[in-house]
């Protein structure tokens, strides 16, 4: 593949047309319902958890996925061929050409969409772990017995590779939804972490995506300040900045978001992708 210069105009145009978001929140907070905020004509939902009941009246297209192998195929069709991949590897030109030939209807559908809503990344890691346990790397070469560490290592590598491939998908905004779970240590300190199989994929995810957003419930105090209360809160908000006062996972690579934003995914995307102000 020949090297080429990307002009400022090209770079700014691409940046305005895509972003990658990891959206985490406690179970039942309404993460999947955010799909209703997105234009059905521009959005496809990749449903890994059979969780479309809450959005059954959403008129957009969805693709159910029940195993990691199918998710790999979809990621290949979304992101296209990776010119750096070995011929026999996932996402190689050979891999993409083979499955694009088998599924021309999916290629056409995905080409017509600018937003990919992946629900959920938590279930993606579960499916990937089930797949990894069946691979040769998940068994000891000496004894032939299952090797849990080998399975977790393989799962993490393949999930990270898949997410990076989606992150590079040209012209596609990818929204990856996941569960946020509460952890209390032996000293009673509370922290919130994405629920994913293993630790490596969860640790590396913030470095892959452009935005990490936590969605949760809050109480609005009399003076207007927000108090995080996921059990009794009534106001849904997105937490968008690292080092926030609520201790929730967040990251804003765009530099355009406030510490919290209204729980409206379409409005959030408009704010992230708004044209930059001209330099005086």
């Amino acid at each position: 593949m020949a090297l080429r210069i990307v002009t400022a105009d090209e770079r700014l145009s691409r940046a305005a047309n895509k972003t990658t978001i990891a959206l985490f929140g406690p179970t039942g907070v309404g993460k999947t319902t955010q799909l209703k905020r997105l234009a059905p004509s521009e959005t496809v939902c990749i449903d890994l958890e059979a969780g479309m009941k809450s959005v059954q009246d959403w008129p957009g297209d969805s693709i159910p996925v029940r195993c990691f192998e199918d998710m790999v195929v979809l990621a290949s069709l979304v992101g296209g061929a990776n010119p750096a991949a070995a011929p026999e590897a996932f996402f190689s030109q050979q891999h993409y050409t083979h499955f694009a030939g088998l599924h021309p209807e999916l290629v056409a559908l995905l080409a017509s969409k600018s937003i990919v809503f992946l629900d959920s990344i938590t279930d993606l890691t579960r499916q990937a772990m089930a797949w990894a346990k069946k691979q040769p790397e998940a068994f000891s070469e000496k004894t032939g017995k299952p090797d849990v560490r080998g399975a977790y290592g393989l799962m993490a590598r393949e999930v990270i590779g898949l997410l990076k491939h989606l992150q590079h998908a040209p012209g596609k905004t990818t929204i990856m939804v996941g569960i946020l779970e509460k952890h209390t240590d032996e000293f009673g300190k509370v922290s919130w972490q994405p629920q994913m199989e293993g630790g490596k994929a969860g640790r590396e995810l913030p470095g892959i995506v452009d935005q990490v957003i936590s969605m949760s419930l809050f109480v609005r105090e009399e003076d207007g300040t927000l108090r995080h209360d996921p059990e009794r809160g009534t106001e849904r908000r997105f937490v968008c900045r690292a080092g926030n006062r609520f201790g929730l996972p967040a990251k804003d690579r765009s530099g355009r978001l406030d510490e919290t934003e209204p729980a409206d995914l379409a409005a959030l995307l408009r704010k992230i992708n708004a044209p930059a102000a001209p330099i005086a």
Side-chain angles (χ1 to χ4, degrees):
M1 180 180 177
L3 297 174
R4 61 182 293 271
I5 295 173
V6 178
T7 67
D9 286 343
E10 286 181 295
R11 186 173 63 253
L12 291 172
S13 175
R14 289 174 183 172
N17 287 328
K18 63 168 289 184
T19 191
T20 311
I21 297 175
L23 174 63
F24 291 103
T27 300
V29 77
K31 301 180 296 297
T32 301
T33 308
Q34 286 294 313
L35 192 57
K36 293 184 176 183
R37 302 280 186 175
L38 305 174
S41 61
E42 299 176 12
T43 308
V44 61
C45 177
I46 299 178
D47 175 23
L48 291 103
E49 59 177 18
M52 299 291 288
K53 185 70 174 177
S54 63
V55 290
Q56 58 185 340
D57 56 343
W58 180 70
D61 296 306
S62 64
I63 303 171
V65 176
R66 296 294 171 265
C67 64
F68 183 66
E69 295 95 320
D70 287 348
M71 186 60 228
V72 168
V73 170
L74 270 180
S76 183
L77 299 182
V78 170
N82 177 2
E88 68 281 0
F90 291 156
F91 315 126
S92 66
Q93 182 65 61
Q94 180 175 307
H95 183 267
Y96 172 80
T97 300
H98 173 72
F99 286 105
L102 290 179
H103 303 288
E105 74 290 349
L106 283 179
V107 174
L109 173 68
L110 295 169
S112 70
K113 307 295 184 180
S114 61
I115 301 174
V116 177
F117 190 90
L118 179 65
D119 189 13
S120 69
I121 194 172
T122 301
D123 280 271
L124 170 63
T125 60
R126 290 170 182 160
Q127 291 184 10
M129 190 61 188
W131 168 83
K133 287 180 177 179
K134 302 174 185 177
Q135 307 309 308
E137 293 93 325
F139 297 88
S140 169
E141 292 183 359
K142 293 182 178 180
T143 66
K145 294 181 178 180
D147 177 1
V148 176
R149 289 183 300 176
Y152 271 110
L154 176 62
M155 180 275 293
R157 290 194 301 274
E158 295 302 338
V159 166
I160 290 165
L162 186 149
L163 297 179
K164 286 183 176 179
H165 191 71
L166 289 176
Q167 199 274 339
H168 286 285
K172 294 281 192 287
T173 285
T174 305
I175 300 160
M176 310 168 188
V177 175
I179 295 174
L180 190 64
E181 60 182 1
K182 181 179 180 180
H183 288 266
T184 304
D185 66 17
E186 57 187 302
F187 303 105
K189 183 179 179 181
V190 173
S191 63
W192 293 87
Q193 300 172 14
Q195 186 185 96
M196 300 172 70
E197 289 285 340
K200 183 176 174 61
R203 289 192 300 270
E204 294 201 18
L205 179 64
I208 296 171
V209 298
D210 298 313
Q211 314 288 138
V212 176
I213 308 295
S214 287
M215 180 180 181
S216 197
L217 293 170
F218 296 83
V219 171
R220 180 80 59 175
E221 304 286 13
E222 291 184 4
D223 61 359
T225 59
L226 290 169
R227 175 167 54 85
H228 184 218
D229 191 337
E231 296 177 357
R232 292 176 293 276
T234 57
E235 183 175 344
R236 289 179 176 83
R237 302 284 295 181
F238 290 153
V239 178
C240 308
R241 287 187 178 178
N244 59 80
R245 58 196 147 123
F246 312 108
L248 294 173
K251 164 190 168 182
D252 174 27
R253 190 174 282 173
S254 75
R256 296 178 173 183
L257 302 180
D258 294 329
E259 183 180 46
T260 74
E261 296 280 351
D264 183 334
L265 201 48
L268 195 80
L269 288 173
R270 287 194 296 270
K271 192 168 184 178
I272 292 170
N273 295 328
I279 300 174

